[in-house]
Amino acid sequence: METAAPSAVIVAIDGPSGTGKSSTSKAVAAKLGLRYLDTGAQYRAITWWMISNGVDTDDAQAVAVAAGKPSIVSGTDPAAPTITVDGLDAAGPIRTQEVTSRVSAVSAVPEVRTLITELQRAIAAEAARDADGIVVEGRDIGTTVLPDADLKIFLTASAEARAARRSGELRGKEAADLAATKAALIRRDAADSGRKTSPLAKAGDAVEVDTTELTLDQVIECVVTLVEEKRAGRK
Ligand SMILES: Nc1ncnc2c1ncn2[C@@H]1O[C@H](COP(=O)(O)OP(=O)(O)OP(=O)(O)O)[C@@H](O)[C@H]1O
Ligand SMILES: Nc1ccn([C@H]2C[C@H](O)[C@@H](COP(=O)(O)O)O2)c(=O)n1
């Protein structure tokens, strides 16, 4: 049986799109010497593979049949996280508008979730055994993937704040106006919260942090403190 290192800590960070999960998780993991897993990148990667291989992403049965074909590998160094699909670097392609608009449909397919959840649990178990732990961010980490996580955080922010953050990122690339960005965020959150299998949800024992009025540094500090308190309480 696998045994976790005595000091290993497993942190689950969930929340809607644009609340700061990736930025916060990466920084917290780097500060505390933990590994980092972006589970949204895994769902984006499988979506990219479906699109690249001509699978109709609105056809749940076709997606289910193809789900086991791609090999998705995540690198968990918070300073340089990576994602490959069948050995190809997918970090760029998974961030296109096309993938973003189709990822909710693909990630709602139960067969996809089963496979990706298994991957996520294996990565977390390895980090608990071979390292000091991991910060895993997504939508269902605290509720479904790692219900026994040492610490669960649920980040929120107003739709306006989230859209402003995203519009700032997109400026000069696929420039979208604020209203369209906000509408797209709300649509994706509704799909992710409304699906039957492990929807976006706050775990009952998660600490909710509203980031609307906080700077990124303040959010990072808040989560670092929560992790340190958790570790101190276990000594
Ligand atoms: N507290 C904050 N204040 C201002 N900007 C922030 C804050 N947190 C994150 N950001 C910025 O908002 C953008 C979205 O953050 P991030 O990608 O971390 O969110 P996310 O929750 O992981 O989103 P998604 O689920 O869509 O991947 C980034 O440009 C990030 O720098
Ligand atoms: N644990 C997760 C993580 C992500 N997803 C889905 C839903 C999101 O819209 C999509 C992309 O995630 P992002 O890169 O925006 O964090 O992936 C999920 O269903 N479960």
Side-chain angles (χ1 to χ4, degrees):
M1 199 171 103
E2 290 177 1
T3 36
S7 63
V9 66
I10 304 288
V11 182
I13 302 193
D14 292 298
S17 187
T19 50
K21 299 181 300 295
S22 301
S23 323
T24 304
S25 301
K26 243 183 284 183
V28 169
K31 276 193 175 203
L32 298 176
L34 306 178
R35 293 183 183 177
Y36 160 69
L37 178 62
D38 176 355
T39 64
Q42 297 175 311
Y43 285 105
R44 286 173 179 273
I46 196 165
T47 303
W48 176 57
W49 185 92
M50 296 285 166
I51 296 167
S52 306
N53 286 273
V55 178
D56 177 359
T57 54
D58 289 325
D59 180 346
Q61 210 177 332
V63 169
V65 167
K69 294 184 181 172
S71 165
I72 295 168
V73 177
S74 301
T76 57
D77 176 354
T82 56
I83 180 104
T84 62
V85 181
D86 296 336
L88 295 174
D89 180 4
I94 65 169
R95 302 292 163 192
T96 60
Q97 198 46 51
E98 185 174 23
V99 170
T100 301
S101 66
R102 294 174 182 228
V103 65
S104 292
V106 172
S107 62
V109 175
E111 288 79 358
V112 168
R113 299 207 74 80
T114 301
L115 284 163
I116 301 281
T117 298
E118 275 171 18
L119 266 181
Q120 294 162 353
R121 288 182 178 150
I123 291 168
E126 190 184 307
R129 191 187 59 228
D130 299 344
D132 285 337
I134 190 165
V135 181
V136 183
E137 54 112 341
R139 304 293 191 288
D140 62 337
I141 310 305
T143 53
T144 303
V145 179
L146 301 169
D148 297 326
D150 298 294
L151 176 66
K152 301 178 187 177
I153 311 274
F154 194 80
L155 297 183
T156 62
S158 71
E160 289 71 25
R162 297 186 288 125
R165 292 170 187 174
R166 280 275 176 250
S167 292
E169 261 179 2
L170 292 173
R171 202 164 296 133
K173 293 184 192 165
E174 302 171 51
D177 70 24
L178 202 62
T181 304
K182 184 175 154 192
L185 280 176
I186 291 171
R187 221 175 16 250
R188 190 145 65 95
D189 289 343
D192 295 342
S193 307
R195 69 173 173 240
K196 274 201 183 129
T197 312
S198 56
L200 158 65
K202 176 178 175 285
D205 52 351
V207 179
E208 184 165 331
V209 180
D210 183 346
T211 71
T212 308
E213 303 291 337
L214 301 179
T215 64
L216 179 55
D217 282 347
Q218 287 172 323
V219 182
I220 294 164
E221 203 43 54
C222 167
V223 176
V224 164
T225 303
L226 288 168
V227 178
E228 283 173 342
E229 282 171 2
K230 187 53 79 173
R231 276 174 156 171
R234 293 193 319 193
K235 278 181 190 151

